[in-house]
Amino acid sequence: LHDKMSAGLTFDETSVKVKVGGADVAEDNYTLKKSGTESSDPCTFEIKFKDSYIAGLKTGTQIEVTYSATLNKSAVIGTTGNKNDTWLKYGNSGSVTSETTTYSYSFDLVKTDSDGTLLAGAKFKLYADQDCTNEIKLVADGTNGYRVATTGEKEVQYIETNATSALTIRGLKGTTTYYLKEIEAPKGYNELENAFAFTIAD
């Protein structure tokens, strides 16, 4: 079983589970080879089952392999998505292929006065819940924007608007509602009373 992930996906090597009939398959029945150690087609990882194990299974037995990956800072934003190809080789020439696409989205943020002039100094935080208790941690990405932080990254305390351009916040899920709460308004302006709810479509 081969799997190749695009650059925007980071494979979690500890997430691989192999089951038959809901029970874990003993690890001595297969070999997990990670990138750079695979035996044939270049891939992110491969699982090679022992012939003796496969031969001992009843015809029609289903082997379930699950694993996970996380979108990283190289993830493609928008409709192109991030590809994950899987192919199963068996016997002398048998092969079955499958492809999935994981999508990542972004939105632009500005604050303006009543005339549409961009305002600097408005500070916001992004949340996953209406009560604004589950904050989505962000990092500055160096391109006048922010993206969702990955484990171990030092996140920013807030998003702050500027008077020259929109901010872009990247790395969000589709078909999901988010809540943007202003925590400090520009000088001379009032903070928004309530968090602004918006949904990113699929």
Side-chain angles (χ1 to χ4, degrees):
L1 176 68
H2 300 265
D3 189 274
K4 184 174 179 59
M5 299 179 186
S6 64
L9 293 166
T10 299
F11 171 51
D12 179 0
E13 298 177 359
T14 66
S15 68
V16 177
K17 303 291 183 187
V18 183
K19 294 179 180 289
V20 169
D24 290 335
V25 174
E27 292 184 9
D28 58 359
N29 290 316
Y30 64 90
T31 303
L32 172 63
K33 296 185 177 183
K34 290 161 268 188
S35 180
T37 65
E38 68 278 359
S39 60
S40 52
D41 305 87
C43 53
T44 304
F45 74 92
E46 71 176 36
I47 294 176
K48 184 175 182 180
F49 292 94
K50 287 187 176 179
D51 290 342
S52 57
Y53 173 70
I54 297 298
L57 297 176
K58 293 181 180 178
T59 301
T61 297
Q62 291 188 346
I63 302 174
E64 179 185 44
V65 178
T66 60
Y67 49 93
S68 63
T70 305
L71 288 168
N72 58 45
K73 62 185 179 182
S74 298
V76 175
I77 304 298
T79 56
T80 301
N82 301 273
K83 304 293 184 183
N84 182 202
D85 295 310
T86 305
W87 60 102
L88 176 68
K89 289 192 170 185
Y90 58 92
N92 293 323
S93 59
S95 182
V96 178
T97 62
S98 179
E99 180 185 85
T100 61
T101 304
T102 302
Y103 296 96
S104 184
Y105 298 90
S106 67
F107 72 93
D108 290 339
L109 170 66
V110 295
K111 180 153 186 169
T112 69
D113 64 13
S114 58
D115 296 323
T117 301
L118 297 182
L119 297 175
K123 298 175 182 178
F124 293 88
K125 288 189 175 185
L126 185 64
Y127 295 89
D129 64 314
Q130 189 172 4
D131 295 330
C132 296
T133 58
N134 185 12
E135 184 181 352
I136 297 172
K137 301 297 185 181
L138 302 170
V139 294
D141 68 1
T143 56
N144 200 38
Y146 302 83
R147 62 171 171 78
V148 175
T150 57
T151 303
E153 289 188 306
K154 183 175 176 58
E155 67 269 7
V156 297
Q157 295 300 307
Y158 46 78
I159 307 165
E160 184 171 359
T161 62
N162 62 66
T164 58
S165 63
L167 302 176
T168 300
I169 290 80
R170 303 175 175 85
L172 303 173
K173 299 177 183 178
T175 62
T176 301
T177 299
Y178 293 95
Y179 300 85
L180 192 66
K181 183 175 178 60
E182 187 175 39
I183 60 169
E184 184 178 325
K187 188 176 181 179
Y189 293 85
N190 295 323
E191 289 178 17
L192 297 172
E193 291 185 6
N194 301 307
F196 178 76
F198 63 97
T199 300
I200 296 178
D202 187 6

CSV table of all heavy atoms in Angstrom, one decimal, residues 77-110:
chain,number,residue,atom,x,y,z
A,77,ILE,N,-4.0,27.1,-1.1
A,77,ILE,CA,-5.3,27.7,-0.7
A,77,ILE,C,-6.2,27.8,-1.9
A,77,ILE,O,-5.9,28.1,-3.0
A,77,ILE,CB,-5.1,29.2,-0.2
A,77,ILE,CG1,-4.1,29.2,1.0
A,77,ILE,CG2,-6.4,29.8,0.3
A,77,ILE,CD1,-4.5,28.4,2.2
A,78,GLY,N,-7.5,27.4,-1.6
A,78,GLY,CA,-8.5,27.5,-2.7
A,78,GLY,C,-8.9,26.2,-3.4
A,78,GLY,O,-8.6,25.1,-2.9
A,79,THR,N,-9.4,26.3,-4.6
A,79,THR,CA,-10.0,25.2,-5.3
A,79,THR,C,-9.1,24.1,-5.8
A,79,THR,O,-9.5,23.0,-6.1
A,79,THR,CB,-10.9,25.7,-6.4
A,79,THR,OG1,-10.0,26.5,-7.3
A,79,THR,CG2,-12.0,26.6,-5.9
A,80,THR,N,-7.8,24.4,-6.0
A,80,THR,CA,-6.9,23.4,-6.4
A,80,THR,C,-6.7,22.3,-5.4
A,80,THR,O,-6.7,21.1,-5.7
A,80,THR,CB,-5.5,24.0,-6.8
A,80,THR,OG1,-5.7,25.0,-7.8
A,80,THR,CG2,-4.5,22.9,-7.2
A,81,GLY,N,-6.6,22.7,-4.1
A,81,GLY,CA,-6.5,21.7,-3.0
A,81,GLY,C,-5.2,21.1,-2.9
A,81,GLY,O,-4.2,21.3,-3.7
A,82,ASN,N,-5.1,20.2,-2.0
A,82,ASN,CA,-3.8,19.4,-1.7
A,82,ASN,C,-4.1,17.9,-1.9
A,82,ASN,O,-4.9,17.3,-1.2
A,82,ASN,CB,-3.4,19.7,-0.2
A,82,ASN,CG,-3.2,21.2,0.0
A,82,ASN,OD1,-2.1,21.7,-0.2
A,82,ASN,ND2,-4.2,22.0,0.4
A,83,LYS,N,-3.4,17.4,-2.8
A,83,LYS,CA,-3.6,16.0,-3.3
A,83,LYS,C,-3.0,14.9,-2.4
A,83,LYS,O,-1.9,15.1,-1.8
A,83,LYS,CB,-3.1,15.8,-4.7
A,83,LYS,CG,-3.7,16.8,-5.7
A,83,LYS,CD,-5.2,16.6,-5.9
A,83,LYS,CE,-5.7,17.5,-7.0
A,83,LYS,NZ,-7.1,17.4,-7.2
A,84,ASN,N,-3.7,13.8,-2.3
A,84,ASN,CA,-3.2,12.6,-1.6
A,84,ASN,C,-3.5,11.4,-2.4
A,84,ASN,O,-4.7,11.1,-2.6
A,84,ASN,CB,-3.8,12.5,-0.2
A,84,ASN,CG,-3.3,11.3,0.6
A,84,ASN,OD1,-3.9,10.9,1.5
A,84,ASN,ND2,-2.1,10.8,0.3
A,85,ASP,N,-2.5,10.8,-3.0
A,85,ASP,CA,-2.7,9.6,-3.9
A,85,ASP,C,-2.3,8.4,-3.1
A,85,ASP,O,-1.3,8.3,-2.4
A,85,ASP,CB,-1.8,9.8,-5.1
A,85,ASP,CG,-2.2,10.9,-6.0
A,85,ASP,OD1,-3.4,11.0,-6.3
A,85,ASP,OD2,-1.3,11.7,-6.3
A,86,THR,N,-3.1,7.4,-3.3
A,86,THR,CA,-2.9,6.1,-2.7
A,86,THR,C,-3.0,5.0,-3.8
A,86,THR,O,-3.9,5.1,-4.6
A,86,THR,CB,-3.9,5.8,-1.6
A,86,THR,OG1,-3.9,6.8,-0.6
A,86,THR,CG2,-3.6,4.5,-0.9
A,87,TRP,N,-2.1,4.0,-3.8
A,87,TRP,CA,-2.2,2.9,-4.7
A,87,TRP,C,-1.8,1.6,-4.0
A,87,TRP,O,-0.9,1.6,-3.2
A,87,TRP,CB,-1.5,3.2,-6.0
A,87,TRP,CG,0.0,3.4,-5.9
A,87,TRP,CD1,1.0,2.5,-6.2
A,87,TRP,CD2,0.7,4.6,-5.5
A,87,TRP,NE1,2.2,3.0,-6.0
A,87,TRP,CE2,2.1,4.3,-5.6
A,87,TRP,CE3,0.3,5.9,-5.1
A,87,TRP,CZ2,3.0,5.3,-5.3
A,87,TRP,CZ3,1.2,6.8,-4.8
A,87,TRP,CH2,2.6,6.5,-5.0
A,88,LEU,N,-2.6,0.6,-4.3
A,88,LEU,CA,-2.4,-0.7,-3.7
A,88,LEU,C,-1.9,-1.6,-4.8
A,88,LEU,O,-2.5,-1.8,-5.9
A,88,LEU,CB,-3.7,-1.3,-3.2
A,88,LEU,CG,-3.6,-2.7,-2.6
A,88,LEU,CD1,-2.8,-2.8,-1.4
A,88,LEU,CD2,-5.0,-3.2,-2.3
A,89,LYS,N,-0.7,-2.3,-4.6
A,89,LYS,CA,-0.2,-3.2,-5.6
A,89,LYS,C,-0.3,-4.6,-5.0
A,89,LYS,O,0.0,-4.8,-3.8
A,89,LYS,CB,1.3,-2.9,-5.9
A,89,LYS,CG,1.5,-1.6,-6.7
A,89,LYS,CD,2.9,-1.5,-7.2
A,89,LYS,CE,3.0,-0.4,-8.3
A,89,LYS,NZ,4.3,-0.3,-8.9
A,90,TYR,N,-0.7,-5.6,-5.8
A,90,TYR,CA,-0.8,-7.0,-5.3
A,90,TYR,C,-0.5,-7.9,-6.4
A,90,TYR,O,-0.6,-7.6,-7.6
A,90,TYR,CB,-2.2,-7.2,-4.7
A,90,TYR,CG,-3.3,-6.9,-5.7
A,90,TYR,CD1,-3.8,-8.0,-6.5
A,90,TYR,CD2,-3.8,-5.6,-5.9
A,90,TYR,CE1,-4.8,-7.7,-7.4
A,90,TYR,CE2,-4.8,-5.4,-6.8
A,90,TYR,CZ,-5.3,-6.4,-7.6
A,90,TYR,OH,-6.3,-6.2,-8.5
A,91,GLY,N,-0.1,-9.1,-6.0
A,91,GLY,CA,0.3,-10.1,-7.0
A,91,GLY,C,1.4,-9.7,-7.9
A,91,GLY,O,2.3,-8.9,-7.5
A,92,ASN,N,1.4,-10.2,-9.1
A,92,ASN,CA,2.5,-9.8,-10.1
A,92,ASN,C,2.2,-8.5,-10.8
A,92,ASN,O,3.1,-7.7,-11.1
A,92,ASN,CB,2.7,-10.9,-11.1
A,92,ASN,CG,3.2,-12.2,-10.5
A,92,ASN,OD1,4.0,-12.1,-9.6
A,92,ASN,ND2,2.7,-13.3,-11.0
A,93,SER,N,0.9,-8.1,-11.0
A,93,SER,CA,0.7,-6.9,-11.8
A,93,SER,C,-0.6,-6.2,-11.3
A,93,SER,O,-1.0,-5.2,-11.9
A,93,SER,CB,0.5,-7.3,-13.2
A,93,SER,OG,-0.5,-8.2,-13.4
A,94,GLY,N,-1.3,-6.6,-10.3
A,94,GLY,CA,-2.5,-6.0,-9.9
A,94,GLY,C,-2.3,-4.6,-9.2
A,94,GLY,O,-1.2,-4.4,-8.6
A,95,SER,N,-3.2,-3.7,-9.4
A,95,SER,CA,-3.0,-2.4,-8.9
A,95,SER,C,-4.4,-1.7,-8.8
A,95,SER,O,-5.2,-1.8,-9.7
A,95,SER,CB,-2.1,-1.5,-9.7
A,95,SER,OG,-1.9,-0.2,-9.1
A,96,VAL,N,-4.6,-1.0,-7.7
A,96,VAL,CA,-5.8,-0.2,-7.5
A,96,VAL,C,-5.4,1.2,-7.0
A,96,VAL,O,-4.5,1.3,-6.1
A,96,VAL,CB,-6.8,-0.8,-6.4
A,96,VAL,CG1,-8.0,0.1,-6.2
A,96,VAL,CG2,-7.2,-2.2,-6.8
A,97,THR,N,-5.9,2.3,-7.5
A,97,THR,CA,-5.5,3.6,-7.1
A,97,THR,C,-6.7,4.4,-6.6
A,97,THR,O,-7.9,4.1,-6.9
A,97,THR,CB,-4.9,4.4,-8.3
A,97,THR,OG1,-5.9,4.5,-9.4
A,97,THR,CG2,-3.7,3.6,-8.9
A,98,SER,N,-6.4,5.4,-5.8
A,98,SER,CA,-7.4,6.3,-5.2
A,98,SER,C,-6.8,7.7,-5.0
A,98,SER,O,-5.6,7.7,-4.6
A,98,SER,CB,-8.0,5.7,-3.9
A,98,SER,OG,-8.9,6.6,-3.4
A,99,GLU,N,-7.5,8.7,-5.1
A,99,GLU,CA,-7.0,10.1,-4.8
A,99,GLU,C,-8.0,10.9,-4.0
A,99,GLU,O,-9.2,10.8,-4.2
A,99,GLU,CB,-6.8,10.8,-6.1
A,99,GLU,CG,-6.2,12.2,-5.9
A,99,GLU,CD,-6.1,13.0,-7.3
A,99,GLU,OE1,-7.1,13.6,-7.7
A,99,GLU,OE2,-5.0,13.0,-7.8
A,100,THR,N,-7.5,11.6,-3.0
A,100,THR,CA,-8.4,12.5,-2.2
A,100,THR,C,-7.7,13.9,-2.3
A,100,THR,O,-6.6,14.1,-2.6
A,100,THR,CB,-8.5,12.1,-0.7
A,100,THR,OG1,-7.2,12.1,-0.2
A,100,THR,CG2,-9.1,10.7,-0.6
A,101,THR,N,-8.6,14.9,-2.1
A,101,THR,CA,-8.1,16.3,-2.1
A,101,THR,C,-8.6,17.0,-0.8
A,101,THR,O,-9.7,16.9,-0.5
A,101,THR,CB,-8.6,17.1,-3.3
A,101,THR,OG1,-8.3,16.4,-4.5
A,101,THR,CG2,-8.1,18.5,-3.3
A,102,THR,N,-7.6,17.6,-0.1
A,102,THR,CA,-7.9,18.3,1.1
A,102,THR,C,-7.8,19.8,0.8
A,102,THR,O,-6.8,20.3,0.3
A,102,THR,CB,-7.0,18.0,2.3
A,102,THR,OG1,-7.0,16.5,2.5
A,102,THR,CG2,-7.3,18.7,3.5
A,103,TYR,N,-8.9,20.5,1.1
A,103,TYR,CA,-8.9,21.9,0.8
A,103,TYR,C,-8.6,22.9,2.0
A,103,TYR,O,-8.9,22.5,3.1
A,103,TYR,CB,-10.3,22.3,0.2
A,103,TYR,CG,-10.6,21.6,-1.1
A,103,TYR,CD1,-11.3,20.4,-1.1
A,103,TYR,CD2,-10.1,22.0,-2.3
A,103,TYR,CE1,-11.6,19.7,-2.3
A,103,TYR,CE2,-10.3,21.4,-3.5
A,103,TYR,CZ,-11.1,20.2,-3.5
A,103,TYR,OH,-11.3,19.5,-4.6
A,104,SER,N,-8.1,24.0,1.7
A,104,SER,CA,-7.8,25.0,2.7
A,104,SER,C,-8.2,26.4,2.2
A,104,SER,O,-8.1,26.6,1.0
A,104,SER,CB,-6.3,25.0,3.0
A,104,SER,OG,-6.0,25.9,4.0
A,105,TYR,N,-8.8,27.2,3.0
A,105,TYR,CA,-9.4,28.4,2.6
A,105,TYR,C,-8.8,29.7,3.3
A,105,TYR,O,-8.1,29.5,4.3
A,105,TYR,CB,-10.9,28.4,2.8
A,105,TYR,CG,-11.6,27.3,2.0
A,105,TYR,CD1,-11.7,26.0,2.5
A,105,TYR,CD2,-12.0,27.5,0.7
A,105,TYR,CE1,-12.3,25.0,1.8
A,105,TYR,CE2,-12.6,26.5,-0.1
A,105,TYR,CZ,-12.7,25.2,0.5
A,105,TYR,OH,-13.3,24.2,-0.2
A,106,SER,N,-9.2,30.8,2.8
A,106,SER,CA,-8.7,32.1,3.4
A,106,SER,C,-9.8,33.1,3.3
A,106,SER,O,-10.8,33.0,2.6
A,106,SER,CB,-7.4,32.6,2.7
A,106,SER,OG,-7.8,33.0,1.4
A,107,PHE,N,-9.6,34.2,4.1
A,107,PHE,CA,-10.5,35.4,3.9
A,107,PHE,C,-9.7,36.6,4.1
A,107,PHE,O,-8.6,36.6,4.7
A,107,PHE,CB,-11.7,35.3,4.9
A,107,PHE,CG,-11.3,35.6,6.4
A,107,PHE,CD1,-11.4,36.9,6.9
A,107,PHE,CD2,-10.9,34.6,7.2
A,107,PHE,CE1,-11.1,37.1,8.2
A,107,PHE,CE2,-10.6,34.8,8.5
A,107,PHE,CZ,-10.7,36.1,9.0
A,108,ASP,N,-10.2,37.7,3.6
A,108,ASP,CA,-9.5,39.0,3.7
A,108,ASP,C,-10.2,39.9,4.8
A,108,ASP,O,-11.4,39.8,4.9
A,108,ASP,CB,-9.5,39.8,2.4
A,108,ASP,CG,-8.5,39.1,1.4
A,108,ASP,OD1,-7.6,38.4,1.8
A,108,ASP,OD2,-8.7,39.3,0.2
A,109,LEU,N,-9.4,40.7,5.5
A,109,LEU,CA,-10.0,41.5,6.6
A,109,LEU,C,-9.5,42.9,6.4
A,109,LEU,O,-8.3,43.2,6.3
A,109,LEU,CB,-9.5,41.0,7.9
A,109,LEU,CG,-9.8,41.8,9.1
A,109,LEU,CD1,-11.3,42.0,9.4
A,109,LEU,CD2,-9.1,41.2,10.4
A,110,VAL,N,-10.5,43.9,6.4
A,110,VAL,CA,-10.2,45.3,6.5
A,110,VAL,C,-11.1,45.9,7.5
A,110,VAL,O,-12.2,45.4,7.8
A,110,VAL,CB,-10.3,46.0,5.2
A,110,VAL,CG1,-9.4,45.5,4.1
A,110,VAL,CG2,-11.8,45.9,4.7
